[in-house]
């Protein structure tokens, strides 16, 4: 900070504006990796210069005032610093950006008069990282919306300023998969919307997308309203909702339609697991997918083969395995892979974008990446737990620990899985990271102490998500910072059609920002985490990278490790149908995939008699009549003029008489035409 | 054929020892298809044979040897010149070489005299090709069994001799997939057991395994007996039966047990397609596989996703597509691949060998190949049609032609499919070639003339099977002759536990032997086929490689294009359960896979009380009565639990009343539930 000011003073005073500009272009070598962005100093300094000089020159009325005030303050307070520190700080090159970020000197002074304008916020000297590029720039926010980005912004006076000191400023994370306050057999998950969203904010996630889970047979709309009510009361950050389709019939169809059109829900989850409960059959899946494809929804799928799981569970219990290890033994990763494959097949048949929630195993991830290579529109979501830990803990001697890892699909016992999933995430084969945060207390987990099938499923991860991805993927060199933004935020926003409102730092986007500290190292433990869960599945893990400042809706909610949150400020963000990210391709394909019948003459050879008596032709029972008017081009048929003269035109019922079964026509009326002759 | 005859004559003009060197022609070895190495080798063999015969066994062998020679010599000497002429003008020495060994196959003069003992037969000078090796040897056959294989056999006096002249002598083909009695909407296939097996024999296939297809609700046992009766009457070659499982219930289980234990059936087909008719759900499949595994049977799977097909059919019909092109459109290969994947997953879970019938598409075949690489016990069966032709014909303007190709899964419209499947077959990723021969006449196909879903499904292929594998795989250089034997015969025999009785030329095996002519070329046409169907889907295709002579049960049934099949000669071959080829690995895996629970102390922390009426939840299967009812008192090592003495109370196992919430347990919190 001090250093920056020093620069400004020096440069501003010495150089005219037009000369100051070129100065920004100085080719300071940019360090590409290592987390410390040494390019920072040079870049932001020249930026500040421009800012001040331009503001003087351009707007007479307001800007000079703010500029003047700002400079006044700054100049006023640390004059001595300016004189003394520059040399010292310069030497420190890499050290200086590590300095704690604090709001600018103006903050304290302005706090009194700034209270009413507290949504005005300026982030100065940050390195803005979007999914496509990184650049240095200042960000000015007002009313929870990013108003300006760039160098030398014109900001009103009395604005709260955050000095980013060259740290990364990234779009706030979007956790696309949470289960806060989820009712489960009369209890609810321990993290309600307040607690959960607090944990989310603490981890740098500024938006969550929760799952509405209606009980089978219950109305989707009622469940949706219920969730909305819970969330509106308590959430501290913006949220959106997925709705799970737990059964399928015409009324559900209606509700889905309404939800898409009027309620701002565009993603619906179906289950291939939980037999006799949530599970939908293949035919139902086909119907759901077809319907969603038509209405522009995203089909999310919990992919596990429920029928085989049910059989395996019975077998495990029969073998006397009742502990949490039975959970993973009865849900081997093959079953996940199988269901993923099936879901992809159905989605490809129905030309519906598919989103696979909770990719937990290598084989499932491989299938997704293969399908993407074949051109299927499919997105895979690994979760914090699958990226960070593995399923060996199910065999822990400590029941409570083992049970706390229980989730479905289970964590893979293969310890190389997390690394593998991180690689696929980096390469873009998996698209987004969720957390599937769904926490139960140990007492709740203990419902299944004698029978693993009764253990409530779910684990934590909303708070650790961003840090974990940074630690496992970015610091290991697999992923760059832009990809990091893509998988933690941008892709999710695109899939849900929230982009560019969310998931991007751009003018007009929501002011959900995180200043990311790439170097801070912390150890995860249940003692310090913000979730109410007693157990953290990442317990003891050291993670590098953490949010330093979190800004949600234009307000600072995390700063210096202190959280300033208000329950209930979270807004519901409606998602509109037909997200381009998924549907552009779908639309193009729809036009291509028009099937045409072969125009050919009617077969008029002999037909052997047959009995339709026995039930069950493979043809769909719903089909009404086999004589559905086929579109036939009679002009191309070799006999149309001779045979059915009077009936030319569209085929008529007489043309295709429904023969009584058992009546055999050996020679058709018109004589044999060459259409049936066999060479 | 005629040139064949002429050629064998020539051999006789020359002294035996001279005859040998001539054909050798080292220059023209073709690396595949034509085994030019043949001549040199067999001739010296013949030499040896004779020499030895003379020298060693005075009594019998010389006689037969001499007789043969006399007879051979007795035939037209004059023809040789014409032959020589014929050979030379071709110009290319290679061809000349090929032609010469092409001579052959002829019953020795001993034939007539040996008629009384027609059971005795000697194939001389053949190149015996098994799946593991090829060697020159004579084969002596008696009473329908191969008695001796080797050089210089000691054979009894009166014996019919067949001069193979260095041609390949291979085990008769085993066609593992035919449907000769599978009625569809009352339509019986055009080829019944008589015509079907005649066609099989004409193509070099000496055993078929037919599918017993009971209607849903019908007794498996009855259907089996019905099939067996019909086959016993009509079949001209040995046969065995698969039984299809159209539904799953307790009765079926009993019947399966009976079929396996007493009827000699070890393979059963389940369907993942044909919704509401044959299709089994995943749970049923799981149970069926578990049950069949215990019985030691091989599970055949018709792999297509029936649910989705039903949906697609409805959609396609709704679009007004009623012609045969609707068939492949409603059954895209993805659905086949999906079902194959699922079947393999099921097989892995249950640890049961799975056999995928009719692999029709690249993606399905690739999935099988991948699964095998991961160690799954899975077998894939390509069929004649999928190896030779593709699904583009479904779009033919000729309805009858298009309909003739209708089978399920459909032929893939991708024209590169046959080539790909042949490659996988050659490298062993697919193991077996069937034919799925199920021929319907055009008038029967026309049942579905207004609705493709009603077209009876099935194509021909039993007659063309061996020839086309030779043509597409061996003659193309993808596969060697041993692999050819493996995929057309041996592997099938192994998988279905017929080996080594079938599928191998070895002493003690059944005398189902084919002398194979790798060079004969013919054009497939419905006019010349044995099958009675009026349309051949391979119409007009040229096929290189054909049987020159076929022996079934030690009798010559096909020779020089003439079929001498005898109706009803076919025997039912019972098959034992637990075929080694499939089950050896499975057995070891069973032992390796016994899963162990973790021994840990009892959880004694607080337990949240569950709502009294869990009206739903149990993701556990419906079959299981109650989640807590059996409480199997898991084997727990109480010594390892730190609290067993203090904490564990007599009422620990008493199920807690629901609604009763225990916040802190009586013994206090023990460290077993402590966190951190």
């Amino acid at each position: 900070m001090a250093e920056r000011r020093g620069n400004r003073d020096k440069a501003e005073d010495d150089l005219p504006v037009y000369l100051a500009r070129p100065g920004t272009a100085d080719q300071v070598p940019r360090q590409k990796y290592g987390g410390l962005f040494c390019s920072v100093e040079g870049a932001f300094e020249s930026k500040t210069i421009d800012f001040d000089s331009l503001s003087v020159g351009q707007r007479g009325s307001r800007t000079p005032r703010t500029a003047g005030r700002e400079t006044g303050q700054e100049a006023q307070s640390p004059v001595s610093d300016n004189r003394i520190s520059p040399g010292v700080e310069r030497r420190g090159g890499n050290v200086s950006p590590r300095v704690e970020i604090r709001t600018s000197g103006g903050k304290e002074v302005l706090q009194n008069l700034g209270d009413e304008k507290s949504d005005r916020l300026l982030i100065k000297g940050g390195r803005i990282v979007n999914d496509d590029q990184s650049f240095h720039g200042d960000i000015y926010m007002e009313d929870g919306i990013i108003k300006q980005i760039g160098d030398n912004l014109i900001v009103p006076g009395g604005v709260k300023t955050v000095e980013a000191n060259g740290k990364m400023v990234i779009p706030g994370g979007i956790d696309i998969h949470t289960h806060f306050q989820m009712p489960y057999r009369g209890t609810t998950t321990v993290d309600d919307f307040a607690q959960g969203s607090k944990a989310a904010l603490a981890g740098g996630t500024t938006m969550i997308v929760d799952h509405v889970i209606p009980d089978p047979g219950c109305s989707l709309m009622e469940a949706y309203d219920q969730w909305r009510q819970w969330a509106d009361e308590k959430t501290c950050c913006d949220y959106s909702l997925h709705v799970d389709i737990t059964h399928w019939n015409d009324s559900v169809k209606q509700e889905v339609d309404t939800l898409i059109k009027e309620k701002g829900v565009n993603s619906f989850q179906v289950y291939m697991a939980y037999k006799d409960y949530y599970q939908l059959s293949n035919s139902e899946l086909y119907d759901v997918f077809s319907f969603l494809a038509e209405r522009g929804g995203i089909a999310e799928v919990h992919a596990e083969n429920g029928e085989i799981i049910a059989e395996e569970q019975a077998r495990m219990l029969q073998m006397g395995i009742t502990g949490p290890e039975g959970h993973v033994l009865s849900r081997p990763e093959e079953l996940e892979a199988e269901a993923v494959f099936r879901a992809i097949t159905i989605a490809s048949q129905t030309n519906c974008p598919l989103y696979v929630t909770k990719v937990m195993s290598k084989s499932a991830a491989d299938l997704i990446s293969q399908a993407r290579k074949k051109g299927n529109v499919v997105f895979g979501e690994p979760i914090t737990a699958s990226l960070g830990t593995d399923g060996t803990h199910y065999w822990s001697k400590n029941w409570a620990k083992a049970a706390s890892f229980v989730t479905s699909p289970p964590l893979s016992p293969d310890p190389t899985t997390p690394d593998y999933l991180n690689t696929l995430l980096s390469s873009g084969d998996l698209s987004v990271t969720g957390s599937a945060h769904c926490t139960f207390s140990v007492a709740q987990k203990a419902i299944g102490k004698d029978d693993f099938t009764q253990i409530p499923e779910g684990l934590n991860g909303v708070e650790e998500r961003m840090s974990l991805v940074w630690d496992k993927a970015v610091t290991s060199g697999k992923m760059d910072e832009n990809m990091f933004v893509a998988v933690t935020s941008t892709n999710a926003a695109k899939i849900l059609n929230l982009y560019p409102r969310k998931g991007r730092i751009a003018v007009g986007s929501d002011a959900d920002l995180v200043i990311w500290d790439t170097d801070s190292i912390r150890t995860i433990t249940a003692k310090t985490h913000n979730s109410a869960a007693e157990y953290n599945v990442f317990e003891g893990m050291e993670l590098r990278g953490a949010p330093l400042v979190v800004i949600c809706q234009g307000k600072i909610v995390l700063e210096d490790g202190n959280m300033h949150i208000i329950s209930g400020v979270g807004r519901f963000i409606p998602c509109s149908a037909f997200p381009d990210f998924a549907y552009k391709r779908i639309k193009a394909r729809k036009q291509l995939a028009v099937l045409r019948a072969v125009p050919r003459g009617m077969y008029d050879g002999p037909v052997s008699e047959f009995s339709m008596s026995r039930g069950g032709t493979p043809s769909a029972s719903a089909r009404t009549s086999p004589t559905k008017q086929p579109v036939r081009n009679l002009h191309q048929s070799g006999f149309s003029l001779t045979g059915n003269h009077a009936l030319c035109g569209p085929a008529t019922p007489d043309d295709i008489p429904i023969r009584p079964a058992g009546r055999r026509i050996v020679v058709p009326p018109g004589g044999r035409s060459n259409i049936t002759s066999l060479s | 054929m005629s040139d064949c005859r002429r050629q064998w004559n020539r051999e006789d003009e020359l002294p035996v020892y001279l005859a040998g060197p001539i054909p050798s022609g080292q220059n023209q070895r073709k690396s595949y298809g034509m085994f030019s190495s043949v001549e040199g080798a067999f001739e010296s063999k013949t030499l040896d044979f004779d020499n030895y015969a003379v020298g060693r066994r005075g009594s019998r062998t010389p006689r037969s040897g001499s007789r043969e020679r006399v007879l051979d010599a007795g035939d037209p000497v004059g023809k040789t010149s014409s032959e020589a002429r014929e050979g030379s003008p071709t110009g290319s020495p290679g061809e000349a070489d090929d032609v010469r060994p092409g001579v052959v196959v002829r019953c020795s003069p001993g034939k007539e005299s040996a008629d009384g003992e027609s059971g005795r037969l000697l194939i001389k000078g053949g190149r015996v090709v098994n799946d593991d090796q090829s060697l020159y040897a004579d084969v002596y056959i008696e009473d329908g069994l191969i008695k001796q294989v080797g050089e210089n056999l000691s054979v009894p006096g009166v014996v019919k001799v067949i001069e193979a002249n260095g041609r390949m002598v291979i085990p008769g083909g085993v066609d593992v997939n035919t449907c000769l009695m599978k009625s569809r909407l009352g339509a019986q296939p055009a080829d019944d057991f008589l015509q079907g097996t005649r066609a099989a024999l004409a193509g070099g296939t000496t055993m078929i395994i037919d599918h017993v297809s009971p209607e849903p609700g019908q007794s498996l046992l009855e259907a089996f007996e019905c099939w067996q009766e019909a086959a016993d009457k009509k079949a001209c070659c040995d046969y065995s039966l698969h039984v299809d499982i159209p539904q799953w219930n307790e009765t079926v289980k009993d019947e399966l047990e009976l079929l396996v234990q007493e009827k000699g059936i070890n393979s059963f087909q389940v369907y993942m397609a044909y919704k509401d008719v044959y299709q089994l759900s995943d749970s049923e499949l799981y149970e069926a596989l578990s049950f069949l595994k215990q019985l030691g049977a091989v599970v055949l799977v018709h792999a297509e996703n029936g649910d989705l097909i039903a949906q697609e059919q409805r959609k396609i019909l709704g679009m007004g597509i009623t012609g045969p092109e609707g068939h492949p459109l409603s059954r895209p290969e993805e659905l086949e691949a999906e079902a194959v994947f699922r079947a393999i997953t099921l097989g892995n879970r249950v640890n049961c060998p799975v056999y995928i019938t009719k692999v029709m598409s690249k993606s399905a075949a690739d999935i099988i190949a991948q699964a095998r690489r991961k160690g799954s016990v899975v077998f894939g069966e390509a069929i004649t049609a999928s190896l030779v032709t593709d699904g583009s014909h479904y779009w033919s303007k000729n309805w009858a032609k298009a309909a003739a190709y209708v089978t399920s899964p459909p032929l893939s419209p991708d024209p590169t499919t046959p080539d790909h499947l042949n490659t996988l077959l050659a490298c062993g990723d697919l193991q077996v070639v069937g034919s799925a021969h199920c021929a319907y006449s055009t008038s029967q196909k026309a049942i579905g003339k207004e609705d493709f879903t009603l077209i009876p499904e099935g194509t021909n292929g039993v007659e063309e099977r061996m020839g086309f594998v030779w043509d597409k795989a061996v003659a193309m250089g993808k596969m060697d002759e041993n692999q050819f034997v493996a995929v057309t015969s041996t592997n099938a025999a192994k998988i279905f536990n017929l080996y080594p009785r079938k599928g191998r030329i070895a002493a003690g095996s059944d005398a189902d032997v084919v002398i194979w002519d790798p060079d004969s070329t013919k054009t497939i046409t419905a006019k010349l086929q044995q099958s009675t169907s009026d349309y051949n889907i391979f119409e007009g295709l040229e096929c290189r490689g054909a049987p020159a002579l076929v022996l079934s049960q030690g009798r010559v049934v096909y020779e020089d294009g003439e079929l001498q099949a005898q109706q009803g000669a076919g025997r039912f071959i019972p098959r034992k359960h637990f075929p080694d080829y499939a089950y050896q690995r499975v057995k070891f895996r069973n032992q390796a896979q016994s899963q162990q629970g973790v021994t840990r102390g009892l959880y004694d922390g607080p337990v949240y009380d569950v709502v009294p009426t869990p009206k739903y939840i149990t993701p556990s299967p419906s079959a299981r009565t109650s989640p807590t009812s059996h409480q199997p008192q898991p084997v727990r090592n109480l010594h390892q639990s730190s609290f067993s003495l203090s904490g564990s109370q007599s009422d620990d196992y008493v199920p807690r009343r629901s609604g009763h919430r225990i916040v802190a347990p009586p013994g206090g919190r023990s460290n077993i539930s402590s966190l951190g």
Side-chain angles (χ1 to χ4, degrees), chain A residues 418-432:
Chain A
D419 200 43
Y420 191 80
L421 294 182
N422 276 298
T423 307
L424 289 194
L425 191 64
S426 312
S427 69
D429 284 344
L430 298 174
S431 310
V432 289

Side-chain angles (χ1 to χ4, degrees), chain B residues 400-422:
Chain B
K401 182 179 178 192
Y405 287 84
V406 170
T407 185
S408 286
L411 288 159
S412 166
D414 178 353
T416 61
T417 304
D419 205 41
H420 187 77
L421 294 182
N422 276 299

Side-chain angles (χ1 to χ4, degrees), chain A residues 305 307-308 342, chain B residues 280-287 342 346:
Chain A
N305 188 318
E307 303 215 357
I308 306 181
R342 187 149 40 102
Chain B
L280 301 185
S281 72
D282 285 359
S283 304
E284 289 169 331
L285 286 171
Y286 185 98
E287 279 177 29
R342 189 147 41 101
L346 275 160

Side-chain angles (χ1 to χ4, degrees), chain A residues 9 169 179 207 271-272 286 350 395 467 474 504 528 536 580 589 655 667:
Chain A
D9 292 343
V169 181
H179 296 276
M207 175 169 182
Y271 291 87
M272 300 171 81
Y286 185 97
T350 51
W395 280 267
S467 292
V474 186
R504 184 166 186 87
T528 57
N536 191 315
D580 272 353
R589 284 172 202 195
D655 208 3
V667 181

Side-chain angles (χ1 to χ4, degrees), chain A residues 184-187 215 274-277 282-283 286-287 305 307-308 310-325 329 332 334-335 337-338 341-342 345-346 348-349 367 370 394-400 402 442-444 446-447 449-451 453-454 534-535 595-600 602-603 606-612 614 616-623 626-632 636 656-657 659 664 675-679, chain B residues 184-187 215 274-277 281-283 286-287 305 307-308 310-325 329 332 334-335 337-338 341-342 345-346 348-349 367 370 394-400 402 442-444 446-447 449-451 453-454 527 534-535 539 595-603 606-608 610-611 614-622 624 627 630-632 634 636 640 652 656 669 672-676:
Chain A
Y184 177 80
R185 300 175 81 176
T187 171
D215 281 337
Y274 305 109
K275 189 184 177 190
D276 300 332
Y277 186 37
N282 289 338
S283 309
Y286 185 97
D287 280 339
N305 188 318
E307 303 215 357
I308 306 181
E311 300 280 349
E312 291 280 311
Q313 284 180 332
R315 192 165 69 94
M316 288 303 149
L317 290 170
Q318 215 162 29
M319 288 165 70
I321 297 176
T322 57
E325 68 277 11
L329 290 176
E334 286 172 283
L335 304 190
E338 188 281 314
F341 195 90
R342 187 149 40 102
T345 306
I346 300 175
S348 137
Q349 280 309 303
L367 286 170
Q370 274 171 31
Y394 291 118
W395 280 267
S396 162
K397 294 271 186 202
N398 181 339
W399 188 93
V442 172
Q444 287 170 326
I447 293 169
K449 77 191 178 75
D450 298 319
D451 176 356
T453 63
Q454 306 294 310
E534 301 152 272
Y535 212 94
L595 301 177
R596 286 204 181 79
V598 174
R600 56 164 84 85
M602 295 283 300
Y603 171 84
V607 179
S608 79
E609 49 193 293
F610 63 101
S611 54
M612 288 287 288
R614 82 171 161 72
T617 60
S619 59
S621 45
R623 199 167 46 75
T627 54
K628 198 163 274 180
Q629 301 291 3
V631 187
R632 284 209 165 111
Q636 292 205 8
I656 311 155
R659 286 208 185 87
R664 180 166 189 168
I675 208 79
T676 57
S677 69
L678 307 167
S679 52
Chain B
R184 172 88 167 85
L185 296 174
E215 292 301 322
Y274 304 108
K275 192 181 181 190
D276 301 333
V277 188
S281 72
D282 285 359
S283 304
Y286 185 98
E287 279 177 29
N305 190 319
D307 290 337
L308 299 188
Q311 297 270 12
E312 291 286 334
Q313 284 180 335
R314 199 180 312 160
K315 189 174 95 186
I316 301 276
L317 285 171
M319 293 165 70
I321 298 177
T322 58
E325 69 275 14
L329 289 177
E334 282 176 301
L335 304 191
E338 187 280 313
F341 196 93
R342 189 147 41 101
T345 307
L346 275 160
N348 282 348
R349 283 329 294 163
I367 283 169
Q370 276 171 27
Y394 290 117
W395 280 266
S396 164
K397 294 269 188 200
N398 181 339
W399 189 92
T442 301
S443 64
Q444 287 170 326
I447 291 170
K449 78 194 180 81
E450 283 144 20
D451 177 355
T453 63
L454 297 178
K527 286 167 195 140
D534 44 14
Y535 202 93
E539 189 78 32
Q595 278 147 337
Q596 292 284 317
V598 175
T599 48
R600 52 166 85 83
L602 271 171
Y603 172 83
V607 178
Y608 192 88
V610 188
V611 183
K615 69 176 189 302
Y616 49 83
I617 235 25
T618 56
S620 48
S622 47
R624 200 158 52 74
H630 49 115
Q631 293 255 351
R636 284 203 162 115
Q640 292 202 1
D652 264 357
R656 291 212 172 78
R669 275 178 157 254
I672 207 76
S673 56
S674 70
L675 307 169

Side-chain angles (χ1 to χ4, degrees), chain B residues 256-273:
Chain B
L256 290 178
E257 201 158 354
L258 203 68
L259 284 168
V260 170
Q261 306 291 354
E262 294 173 18
K263 300 292 184 183
I265 303 291
N266 73 359
S267 51
F268 300 91
Q269 171 148 326
V270 292
Y271 289 90
M272 298 171 84

